[in-house]
Amino acid sequence: MPRVAKGYIEQLPSGSFRVSVYVGTDPITRRQIRLKATAKTEQQARIELGRLLKEASEGRTPESDATVAKLLDEYAAIAEWDVSTRQTNEGFIRRTIKPALGHLEVRKVRGPILDQLYARLKRCGDLSCTGRPFTEHRNVPALVVNPRDRRPAWRQVTEMLTEAIQSGSLAPGDELLSITELSALQGIGTGVIRHALDALAADGLILFRRGQTAIVAGTPAGMISGVRKRPGPGHDCRRAGCKPHVCRPMKASTIRGIHSILSGAFAAAQRWEWTERNPTRSAKPPTPTRRPIPATSPDDVAKVITEARSRGAALGLYLWLVVVTGVRRGELCGLQICDVDLDRGLVHVAFNYVVRGGQRIRKDTKTHQDRWLAIDPDTCALIATYLDEIRAELAVVGVELRDDAYLFSNDPAHSRPWNPDWATHKVAEAAAAAEVKLDIKGGRHYTASQLLAGGFDLRNTAARLGHSGGGATTLRHYADPVPEVDRGAAAYLAKLTARSATQTG
Ligand SMILES: [Zn+2]
Ligand SMILES: [Zn+2]
């Protein structure tokens, strides 16, 4: 049935005119769907009315001029992403896709626009970069410690940075640089800076990206591509560590990630009849070049574990468990006392602890990758000693370690788990001190490659790392919920890593 569009013009109290054309009724809300426009004069209003009536007869609906930003909002709300994928994808949407494409109409996006974006990102991931030189300003205030102030230096630094964050001069996502860089630029000892940053991190005001660079926590406000932040008055480029911009090409795999978000979003737009074509079909993201990353050697891993142990029993045990269990960093942070069965030599990985935009999420892996892992007698002994020490400390103040307490925690009763970013940061510090290139992901990589090199089959290795829901989980109903081969894997990894670690540790 052909649609008959009805329209009218009405004058607003301000004197201008509103033009409205009815195009249908929303089947769910029963609300009228209208195309709208405003005009200054009655004559312009008549022209607008004619235009809208013509568009209505051609089947235009209000949604059809929705922007890419609106599409992404609606798509992200319904996309079936797990917690960590959602975190990554929403970051791409906020930092890259919306600033670059958010203002465009969905209908008007074509393949070449996407290809241009991909080419630009391949040259430099900074959307405000035009290829011409510019200075990257950082809004870190001058940190001047007053020796006559009775408060300790770290407290003064903490307060200066807190003030800058709360006043908004340091915005969410702003970089504070690493402890050593900040210390050198501001002429303040690393110990003071470390203490101050740890206090800010504990308050949730900052977090450590890749375990090194401190950045202001929170969701950065969406910016429009090409807009660069200007430094405030009294800004000192030298002390703040402002640097000339150096182009950082975005990795091909990252650009592919952005492409796949766009593919999903435009496929949804097509299903919703917002647009007739999917521009991602004709766009081509760059092909990633895969370079195999060599796994860290047992000796090097042992060096980092020894260093971690010297920094604290908890950190030492955490890293040890990373390599002998191959468990993800958040899964290890989510481990509770009741998940560890020292009598049977088992660890139950039930949760992935994720901190997303300052919010703590205990993601239930039960439906996903809930699994049991074997731990060898040596590891059991390490955990037992560790727990005994915590229990002894708590006994002094008459507190018992609860069953739902977390294995790794910075609070006395172990009621709040470590923030995974914090764990990454601490492991990075230990690795840097041991002069070994290793992070938590590298630890898992070590687990996998050493097991495979040791003759363990892929299926069991994958199960241990939580890559498959098959084998390992079905066995949990038996007396020993882990297969014999996983017992072997646990013992093998412990022996291999311990050979060097126990010599010094
Ligand atoms: Zn500057
Ligand atoms: Zn650049």
Side-chain angles (χ1 to χ4, degrees), residues 468-492:
S468 90
T473 34
T474 47
L475 282 157
R476 73 168 152 229
H477 304 294
Y478 298 86
D480 190 352
V482 295
E484 192 51 39
V485 64
D486 196 49
R487 290 247 162 253
Y492 176 79

Side-chain angles (χ1 to χ4, degrees), residues 124 126 129 245-248:
C124 182
D126 185 338
C129 173
H245 167 77
V246 178
C247 288
R248 281 176 291 267

Side-chain angles (χ1 to χ4, degrees), residues 57-70:
S57 69
E58 285 165 358
R60 191 194 137 196
T61 58
E63 283 78 17
S64 58
D65 59 0
T67 59
V68 174
K70 182 175 190 304

Side-chain angles (χ1 to χ4, degrees), residues 9-271:
I9 296 170
E10 81 182 305
Q11 191 165 19
L12 300 169
S14 64
S16 59
F17 295 83
R18 182 160 54 201
V19 187
S20 175
V21 170
Y22 171 79
V23 290
T25 304
D26 187 295
I28 299 161
T29 62
R30 305 306 303 163
R31 237 182 265 150
Q32 288 190 354
I33 304 169
R34 296 183 162 276
L35 300 177
K36 284 176 190 152
T38 47
K40 285 225 170 77
T41 65
E42 195 173 353
Q43 197 201 359
Q44 275 173 0
R46 285 185 196 285
I47 296 167
E48 281 298 325
L49 179 64
R51 182 179 66 85
L52 293 183
L53 285 168
K54 180 171 172 285
E55 288 186 344
S57 69
E58 285 165 358
R60 191 194 137 196
T61 58
E63 283 78 17
S64 58
D65 59 0
T67 59
V68 174
K70 182 175 190 304
L71 168 62
L72 289 166
D73 288 343
E74 306 232 338
Y75 173 64
I78 56 126
E80 288 177 356
W81 295 327
D82 69 38
V83 179
S84 41
T85 309
R86 178 164 292 276
Q87 189 174 17
T88 312
N89 288 358
E90 287 182 348
F92 286 151
I93 291 174
R94 192 182 62 239
R95 287 189 305 271
T96 309
I97 308 179
K98 272 194 184 174
L101 306 172
H103 62 285
L104 295 174
E105 279 180 35
V106 171
R107 281 184 311 170
K108 290 187 180 157
V109 179
R110 298 280 190 276
I113 293 180
L114 300 182
D115 280 341
Q116 278 165 23
L117 173 66
Y118 301 155
R120 188 172 159 191
L121 294 173
K122 214 176 149 188
R123 178 169 57 76
C124 182
D126 185 338
L127 286 170
S128 67
C129 173
T130 56
R132 254 175 273 140
F134 68 95
T135 304
E136 277 179 17
H137 293 288
R138 296 173 204 279
N139 293 299
V140 182
L143 303 171
V144 185
V145 173
N146 180 358
R148 273 173 306 189
D149 194 319
R150 272 187 293 160
R151 296 168 308 166
W154 70 267
R155 185 41 63 213
Q156 294 183 45
V157 171
T158 306
E159 271 166 30
M160 282 181 265
L161 289 172
T162 304
E163 147 86 45
I165 292 168
Q166 283 170 350
S167 71
S169 70
L170 272 174
D174 277 356
E175 285 187 5
L176 289 176
L177 297 169
S178 72
I179 290 167
T180 31
E181 286 170 300
L182 207 52
S183 157
L185 288 166
Q186 302 273 355
I188 296 172
T190 50
V192 171
I193 299 281
R194 184 187 315 274
H195 205 145
L197 293 188
D198 279 347
L200 290 168
D203 282 345
L205 287 172
I206 63 161
L207 43 92
F208 291 96
R209 190 166 54 202
R210 283 179 227 105
Q212 292 282 356
T213 311
I215 61 165
V216 179
T219 310
M223 43 122 192
I224 294 172
S225 101
V227 175
R228 242 172 258 152
K229 216 159 72 175
R230 297 255 142 251
H235 171 80
D236 183 342
C237 276
R238 196 187 50 80
R239 266 194 111 119
C242 303
K243 284 190 191 114
H245 167 77
V246 178
C247 288
R248 281 176 291 267
M250 193 177 264
K251 274 196 283 182
S253 56
T254 310
I255 300 175
R256 292 191 81 82
I258 288 171
H259 180 70
S260 90
I261 297 170
L262 287 168
S263 298
F266 277 102
Q270 251 183 328
R271 284 199 309 277

Side-chain angles (χ1 to χ4, degrees), residues 287-339:
T287 326
T289 42
R290 275 194 163 271
R291 235 177 287 117
I293 313 149
T296 317
S297 72
D299 282 351
D300 278 350
V301 169
K303 266 188 222 160
V304 185
I305 292 175
T306 307
E307 176 62 37
R309 279 181 185 155
S310 75
R311 287 160 181 256
L315 188 64
L317 180 62
Y318 183 90
L319 190 54
W320 172 264
L321 289 178
V322 165
V323 297
V324 301
T325 62
V327 160
R328 295 181 178 86
R329 61 172 200 162
E331 291 175 335
L332 206 45
C333 290
L335 218 57
Q336 292 169 302
I337 307 296
C338 55
D339 295 324

